Amino acid sequence: RDLQKTHAGGMDEVEYVLCSQIMVELMRKTDARPFLEPVDPQADDLPDYAKVIKQPTDLSNVQERLREGGYSSVPDFSANLRRVFSNAMSYFKPEHNTYKAARRLRRIFADTCTELGLQ
């Protein structure tokens, strides 16, 4: 057995640990609050959300998929995580707090990936 490829989907152990650490750090941020759980269009008073956002996702979904080995690579993980932020930035106007939080988290994620040498 190849010890480097321990997670289904193709990530090696180092990649998995780094991505897991990124998730923990992002989810601890105050800005992450709107993204911790899936959007509930009724409860969140966003009735047109499903019409505007065709591929909804949230941080809990990304984390669960990571744990289950659902990402084939770091770029696959990164693309889905970035979708959390791009969805918010597509739905909300730039002056909205959720848009601003998404933009800040997107920057933190990009900076962290650069620091860790991830794509």
Side-chain angles (χ1 to χ4, degrees), residues 47-107:
D48 62 342
Y49 189 81
K51 291 178 184 172
V52 176
I53 302 301
K54 299 303 181 194
Q55 292 183 297
T57 193
D58 63 276
L59 295 177
S60 67
N61 174 277
V62 173
Q63 186 176 49
E64 184 66 22
R65 187 171 163 194
L66 179 64
R67 282 187 189 141
E68 293 176 355
Y71 295 110
S72 61
S73 63
V74 173
D76 184 27
F77 161 79
S78 296
N80 199 39
L81 182 53
R82 281 192 305 272
R83 185 174 298 118
V84 174
F85 312 134
S86 64
N87 283 350
M89 294 170 73
S90 294
Y91 186 81
F92 295 99
K93 291 180 171 38
E95 61 273 5
H96 195 281
N97 286 336
T98 302
Y99 180 103
K100 292 174 184 177
R103 188 177 59 213
R104 287 188 296 266
L105 288 174
R106 184 183 67 179
R107 171 55 44 211

Side-chain angles (χ1 to χ4, degrees), residues 31-51:
D31 280 336
R33 287 184 185 153
F35 312 108
L36 293 176
E37 298 294 331
V39 169
D40 180 335
Q42 264 191 326
D44 297 333
D45 195 25
L46 306 172
D48 62 342
Y49 189 81
K51 291 178 184 172

